[in-house]
Amino acid sequence: MQLQLPEPGADAQAASHSLKQLIAGEIAAAGGWISFERYMELALYAPQVGYYSGGSAKLGKDGDFTTAPEISPLFGATLAHLATELISESESLANVFLEFGAGTGKLAVDILAELKARGRLPEKYFIVEISSQLRARQQETLGEFVALVEWLDALPETFSGVVVGNEVLDAMPVRLAVKSAQGWLERGVALDAAGSFRFEDRAAADLPVAQIPDADELPDGYLTELAPVAIGFMRTLARMVASGAGAAAILPDYGFPASEYYLHDRSAGTLMCHYRHHAHDDPFYWPGLQDITAHVDFTAMAIAAVEEGAEVMAYTSQGAFLLNAGIGELLLRTSPEASLQYLPQANAMQKLISPAEMGELFKVLVIGKNVEWPQRMLRHDRTHRL
């Protein structure tokens, strides 16, 4: 079916064609087939032409999707409010922040603005960013705070302080697994007679289907995602967290525990593409010009973290997390009687916490070590579901 989406401009089309040629060349060199994980990696991160390494706007009204920091500064202010408490109550936590996948830099600005208002600016705010285009945009966005920020190319081996990664895990490449009468196959990418991308299933002895609960009971034709890249990242993150004096990593993202991720009814997987605020399921549509994501298997992430020595501090819905962390009190710093200022903030907060909006679809996983986690933050905790 032909997608009815806005047509990209000539320059964008040319960049996408360049990426298509790059991927097609890799498919040919690999004997006619590459894993979807490799396709997704190239589509998102190929130098100069991948979605995250190209120069186009990704977030906000001019981009392809909107994240929580773009909706309201209350999101970052609430994280800063919680972080200040964690640092005050946990002697092992340094007043240092580390953010990865910082996007436009909006979340960093909101966190730092709140910390400045509290007289609690950190010693350093690290940003891990592999995209030079996004790094340049972050430097521009950060303005007065840029001197506090240091950019890194990768996670450090050890760290003490507060770590934030908003919507990072969902953007990591995934493998596609499909159940057949012969067992589990890997769905990869090949070329058709016209040179267009198409899916093709092949046997793969290393497909990690053991993480799927009741994998043998799922019906033939069942399609899902496996995330070894994200699991590997979580292992690295957990080692960093566990090896320092004390750290807490806060990871908001959309997803489910394994028992809900691999439901019989979720037979088409969770892969989704975002282009100009339109969501669809065709990862071959203008490669490099659209985001490609998959929901997060939070059980797999938690297991990886624990196996590397970190602790699961909390797992809950974004709505419960933000309310427990004090977003309502922060909203009330603006008087409800000042309706022109209050109502837009209240409406934005509702998008963040409402079960009908982001409040339930998005979850927050927190891993850490040597941290005094506030008791109130365990209200409505769902760690037992992981």
Side-chain angles (χ1 to χ4, degrees):
M1 184 179 69
Q2 188 69 29
L3 291 172
Q4 301 297 314
L5 298 176
E7 192 78 0
D11 289 346
Q13 290 189 29
S16 182
H17 282 304
S18 295
L19 178 58
K20 285 180 182 178
Q21 291 177 335
L22 174 69
I23 297 173
E26 181 148 331
I27 291 172
W33 184 95
I34 60 173
S35 68
F36 183 79
E37 179 184 74
R38 178 58 178 161
Y39 171 86
M40 185 172 170
E41 179 184 2
L42 290 169
L44 296 181
Y45 302 108
Q48 278 73 59
V49 288
Y51 181 75
Y52 284 108
S53 50
S56 63
K58 319 298 180 198
L59 309 175
K61 62 182 179 63
D62 297 323
D64 301 299
F65 56 92
T66 300
T67 62
E70 307 291 328
I71 290 172
S72 172
L74 287 172
F75 183 80
T78 304
L79 292 181
H81 176 67
L82 176 61
T84 299
E85 180 179 355
L86 293 177
I87 293 167
S88 298
E89 298 297 323
S90 304
E91 294 181 2
S92 58
L93 260 66
N95 188 17
V96 178
F97 285 71
L98 185 151
E99 183 182 358
F100 44 87
T104 64
K106 178 69 165 58
L107 179 56
V109 166
D110 292 340
I111 289 174
L112 288 167
E114 179 67 21
L115 293 173
K116 179 183 179 182
R118 293 170 176 267
R120 294 294 300 271
L121 279 172
E123 300 165 27
K124 184 68 73 173
Y125 194 105
F126 294 100
I127 293 179
V128 178
E129 182 57 71
I130 61 173
S131 166
S132 58
Q133 285 84 357
L134 283 176
R135 188 179 291 199
R137 190 169 180 187
Q138 291 157 12
Q139 290 170 342
E140 183 179 336
T141 302
L142 279 156
E144 64 173 301
F145 300 118
V146 74
L148 276 173
V149 179
E150 181 177 334
W151 278 266
L152 306 174
D153 295 321
L155 291 175
E157 289 188 7
T158 187
F159 177 80
S160 175
V162 177
V163 183
V164 179
N166 184 54
E167 285 194 62
V168 171
L169 297 170
D170 67 83
M172 294 187 178
V174 294
R175 297 176 74 175
L176 297 182
V178 60
K179 181 81 176 297
S180 76
Q182 293 74 42
W184 286 92
L185 302 175
E186 180 161 18
R187 178 156 293 177
V189 181
L191 298 172
D192 64 18
S196 298
F197 298 128
R198 65 177 178 84
F199 285 122
E200 181 179 304
D201 300 340
R202 292 192 176 185
D206 64 338
L207 207 56
V209 294
Q211 73 186 62
I212 303 175
D214 303 318
D216 293 339
E217 306 302 318
L218 293 170
D220 290 351
Y222 188 95
L223 175 68
T224 193
E225 303 87 24
L226 301 168
V229 173
I231 289 173
F233 172 83
M234 283 298 298
R235 290 187 180 281
T236 301
L237 175 65
R239 286 195 296 271
M240 181 192 80
V241 164
S243 63
I250 301 169
L251 306 169
D253 223 317
Y254 49 91
F256 313 98
S259 60
E260 298 172 26
Y261 197 105
Y262 303 106
L263 289 173
H264 277 60
D265 292 343
R266 194 166 283 115
S267 58
T270 70
L271 199 73
M272 190 58 60
C273 305
H274 300 274
Y275 175 75
R276 307 274 185 88
H277 294 278
H278 294 267
H280 65 91
D281 61 0
D282 181 5
F284 303 145
Y285 180 82
W286 293 114
L289 304 186
Q290 63 173 356
D291 192 22
I292 306 174
T293 70
H295 284 51
V296 177
D297 173 356
F298 279 109
T299 299
M301 302 304 120
I303 289 172
V306 170
E307 287 179 346
E308 296 297 336
E311 299 171 10
V312 174
M313 314 297 297
Y315 170 69
T316 190
S317 69
Q318 178 174 287
F321 180 89
L322 291 174
L323 287 169
N324 290 339
I327 193 171
E329 291 83 350
L330 295 180
L331 171 66
L332 289 175
R333 294 189 301 195
T334 302
S335 170
E337 295 178 0
S339 57
L340 287 176
Q341 291 77 39
Y342 177 81
L343 288 177
Q345 292 188 54
N347 290 335
M349 187 186 83
Q350 276 300 109
K351 289 183 180 179
L352 296 176
I353 66 172
S354 169
E357 300 268 0
M358 296 177 72
E360 180 58 37
L361 175 63
F362 280 71
K363 312 300 192 302
V364 182
L365 175 67
V366 183
I367 66 168
K369 194 77 172 182
N370 301 324
V371 176
E372 291 294 329
W373 190 246
Q375 195 63 32
R376 74 175 190 289
M377 294 300 300
L378 294 176
R379 292 197 297 257
H380 312 293
D381 187 68
R382 302 179 183 181
T383 302
H384 61 282
R385 296 191 190 179
L386 290 172

